[in-house]
Amino acid sequence: MPERGKTILLFFGAYLIGKSILNLVLGFSVGNIVSVALAVVMAGLLFFGVKYTNYIIPAFLAGVVLLHLKDNIGGFPGTWLYLTEGVLDLAIAGTILFQPDIKAYFNREA
C-alpha cells in the first residue's frame, strides 16, 4: 500500500510542476518563476514523505484556490482554465488527505 501511495504522489508532484510551468508560459513573471520553484519543493516533500506535508500541502492548495476564486468566477468564461485548475487542486488536496494508500505512505516507519 505505501508504494502505491508513493506512485500517486509522484503523479501529483508532476501535476504541480506541470501546472506551474504552464502558468509560467501563459504569463511570464517573477511570481510564476517562484511558483515553479515552490512546486518542485512541494513535489519533493510529497515524494519523500516528509512528515506533516500531507496536511500542509493540501491546506496550501486549498488556500490558493480560495484566494483566487472570486477573481476566477468574476472573469468567467475567460478564466475557465484557472477554474479547472482550482477544481483539480481541490481534488488533489482531498486525495492527499483521505486516500488510504497515501495515508499508509505517510504513516510508514522511516
Side-chain angles (χ1 to χ4, degrees), residues 7-18:
T7 302
I8 295 168
L9 290 171
L10 176 66
F11 285 110
F12 288 170
Y15 162 78
L16 291 173
I17 294 169

Side-chain angles (χ1 to χ4, degrees), residues 38-79:
L38 186 60
V40 169
V41 169
M42 288 191 302
L45 292 172
L46 285 172
F47 182 74
F48 291 110
V50 176
K51 194 171 188 171
Y52 301 118
T53 56
N54 58 322
Y55 301 113
I56 296 167
I57 292 174
F60 176 78
L61 290 174
V64 171
V65 169
L66 291 175
L67 181 68
H68 295 287
L69 187 61
K70 181 181 176 195
D71 293 332
N72 289 340
I73 289 175
F76 191 78
T79 56

Side-chain angles (χ1 to χ4, degrees), residues 5-30:
K6 184 177 182 179
T7 302
I8 295 168
L9 290 171
L10 176 66
F11 285 110
F12 288 170
Y15 162 78
L16 291 173
I17 294 169
K19 81 170 186 141
S20 294
I21 290 172
L22 177 62
N23 285 333
L24 181 64
V25 170
L26 293 175
F28 189 83
S29 70
V30 174

